[in-house]
Amino acid sequence: GDSVTQMEGPVTLSEEAFLTINCTYTATGYPSLFWYVQYPGEGLQLLLKATKADDKGSNKGFEATYRKETTSFHLEKGSVQVSDSAVYFCALSDTYSSASKIIFGSGTRLSIRP
Amino acid sequence: DAGVIQSPRHEVTEMGQEVTLRCKPISGHDYLFWYRQTMMRGLELLIYFNNNVPIDDSGMPEDRFSAKMPNASFSTLKIQPSEPRDSAVYFCASSPTSGYNEQFFGPGTRLTVL
């Protein structure tokens, strides 16, 4: 079945460091891929998405490129801030199987030191 | 625009009591999802509805859990009787009918069963 595997946390970085959170997926169809972010005490919110191979999603300085050949969707940011401390979830929706369900990864907790 | 609304935000109850969680999805969204989040098990999909009809309830842990969606603007998740292991944050999310299946999450209800 469809699945998402992401880098285990927690990840701790200093402010202005470069961030990569790895994510790989398994899907039978042609999935859409997402990164969601959850700030403390809040619900998940969509950070970025990509709907086909080679698409790059970007938002708030974060980027991720849909790589079909490596079935990956790694999240990157060039210079992190304390306010980026949150839990990040990689996710997929396989539009050719169970309609509208999203498969979430286990989440990666990110902490940024001032 | 108002997002997904959940109530109450916090609920503390004693074992054996009935608990009802409420959700108002974003107007015009056809899909509604209930999730549970714990440290041990992460984010779990409990049930989801399409046009007020339950589509997949395979994630509902036991018969003590039930969910209803009497109309397009309201859903409930009920636990009767509640147990301490039900303590978690419960999220409601909604999604429009689209090819990319982006979900919009509410702020969650933190449930504590003593």
Side-chain angles (χ1 to χ4, degrees), chain A residues 27-44:
Chain A
T28 53
Y30 301 90
S32 296
L33 302 175
F34 309 91
W35 277 99
Y36 280 78
V37 59
Q38 184 179 26
Y39 298 105
E42 299 184 11
L44 280 71

Side-chain angles (χ1 to χ4, degrees), chain A residues 14-67:
Chain A
S14 297
E15 205 165 21
E16 300 183 2
F18 184 86
L19 168 71
T20 300
I21 300 178
N22 290 335
C23 171
T24 57
Y25 67 89
T26 302
T28 53
Y30 301 90
S32 296
L33 302 175
F34 309 91
W35 277 99
Y36 280 78
V37 59
Q38 184 179 26
Y39 298 105
E42 299 184 11
L44 280 71
Q45 55 186 273
L46 182 67
L47 179 61
L48 54 84
K49 67 183 180 187
T51 58
K52 62 182 186 296
D54 300 325
D55 269 2
K56 178 184 284 187
S58 61
N59 186 26
K60 299 181 180 179
F62 291 89
E63 293 184 338
T65 300
Y66 189 147
R67 300 287 187 199

Side-chain angles (χ1 to χ4, degrees), chain A:
Chain A
D2 297 348
S3 66
V4 174
T5 302
Q6 66 180 99
M7 182 173 166
E8 287 200 17
V11 174
T12 302
L13 296 172
S14 297
E15 205 165 21
E16 300 183 2
F18 184 86
L19 168 71
T20 300
I21 300 178
N22 290 335
C23 171
T24 57
Y25 67 89
T26 302
T28 53
Y30 301 90
S32 296
L33 302 175
F34 309 91
W35 277 99
Y36 280 78
V37 59
Q38 184 179 26
Y39 298 105
E42 299 184 11
L44 280 71
Q45 55 186 273
L46 182 67
L47 179 61
L48 54 84
K49 67 183 180 187
T51 58
K52 62 182 186 296
D54 300 325
D55 269 2
K56 178 184 284 187
S58 61
N59 186 26
K60 299 181 180 179
F62 291 89
E63 293 184 338
T65 300
Y66 189 147
R67 300 287 187 199
K68 192 169 187 294
E69 62 278 12
T70 55
T71 60
S72 65
F73 193 55
H74 305 321
L75 182 68
E76 295 182 335
K77 187 174 184 181
S79 176
V80 293
Q81 305 300 312
V82 172
S83 58
D84 294 326
S85 298
V87 181
Y88 292 82
F89 293 87
C90 185
L92 72 81
S93 174
D94 188 340
T95 57
Y96 283 80
S97 61
S98 299
S100 285
K101 280 178 69 171
I102 289 184
I103 307 299
F104 286 93
S106 57
T108 301
R109 183 175 298 277
L110 174 66
S111 296
I112 307 301
R113 292 189 298 253

